[in-house]
Amino acid sequence: MTALNLAFSFARLAAGVIALIDTGDKTSSTTNLLNLSPPAKGGSDRGEHLIVDAAGVRFNLVRPRPGEIGITGHAELADSIELLKQAISPNIIILDLPPLLRSDKAVQLVSRADSTVLVLASNFTTRSDFDICRTFFHSDQRLQVVLNRARRHGL
């Protein structure tokens, strides 16, 4: 849900062409949240490309084909990103990845990112979890942290 919110936020800011790549992890809820039917069978071997338009706020969505678990590794994802860059020249590419501590796929991919938003769940993610996640990033990578599921304070 956070990746979807980021895509809508960047699109609302008119930050150029925005692309959200749903890597097909079973934790992804993009298809359900957008009330989309499952991707059509057949089509491109790189998945399905849609334009999401909500009251004029537009972004590109790339989803894996049905039956695929998703983009399996950094080489396949790199190929998909290059094809996407050639087709639509996005200014921002958002990857919807599974949690770092639960997926080798995500760990492989974050090392190649220019900038990463690490989402921490309030009352769930521990300081130790955060410290481990920080070791997956190079010192020159831009890392931003978002606290998700935080409750309202009486401030």
Side-chain angles (χ1 to χ4, degrees):
M1 185 154 123
T2 304
L4 189 57
N5 284 336
L6 283 171
F8 273 116
S9 294
F10 282 123
R12 201 174 296 114
L13 292 171
V17 178
I18 310 302
L20 170 59
I21 299 177
D22 181 347
T23 56
D25 181 71
K26 60 186 171 189
T27 62
S28 174
S29 57
T30 302
T31 296
N32 292 337
L33 289 169
L34 292 174
N35 199 25
L36 298 172
S37 57
K41 292 184 179 184
S44 168
D45 56 343
R46 292 290 179 210
E48 180 180 48
H49 176 209
L50 304 168
I51 306 268
V52 176
D53 188 332
V57 177
R58 296 173 51 128
F59 66 88
N60 296 270
L61 173 64
V62 178
R63 303 187 296 172
R65 289 181 308 176
E68 289 182 350
I69 295 175
I71 297 170
T72 57
H74 65 285
E76 185 179 339
L77 181 61
D79 290 347
S80 294
I81 289 172
E82 285 308 312
L83 289 172
L84 187 67
K85 285 179 178 179
Q86 291 170 13
I88 63 171
S89 302
N91 299 78
I92 296 172
I93 299 173
I94 300 166
L95 303 178
D96 189 3
L97 296 172
L100 280 177
L101 297 180
R102 295 187 187 149
S103 170
D104 291 336
K105 175 173 58 172
V107 172
Q108 292 172 8
L109 296 172
V110 296
S111 65
R112 301 187 72 182
D114 296 327
S115 182
T116 303
V117 176
L118 185 63
V119 180
L120 307 178
S122 178
N123 297 320
F124 182 78
T125 305
T126 66
R127 175 64 188 224
S128 175
D129 292 341
F130 176 67
D131 289 339
I132 292 168
C133 288
R134 285 181 35 198
T135 66
F136 301 138
F137 299 93
H138 303 290
S139 60
D140 60 341
Q141 282 181 289
R142 292 182 304 243
L143 177 64
Q144 298 176 15
V145 178
V146 171
L147 184 61
N148 201 6
R149 300 181 185 163
R151 293 192 178 159
R152 190 173 182 169
H153 293 266
L155 300 176

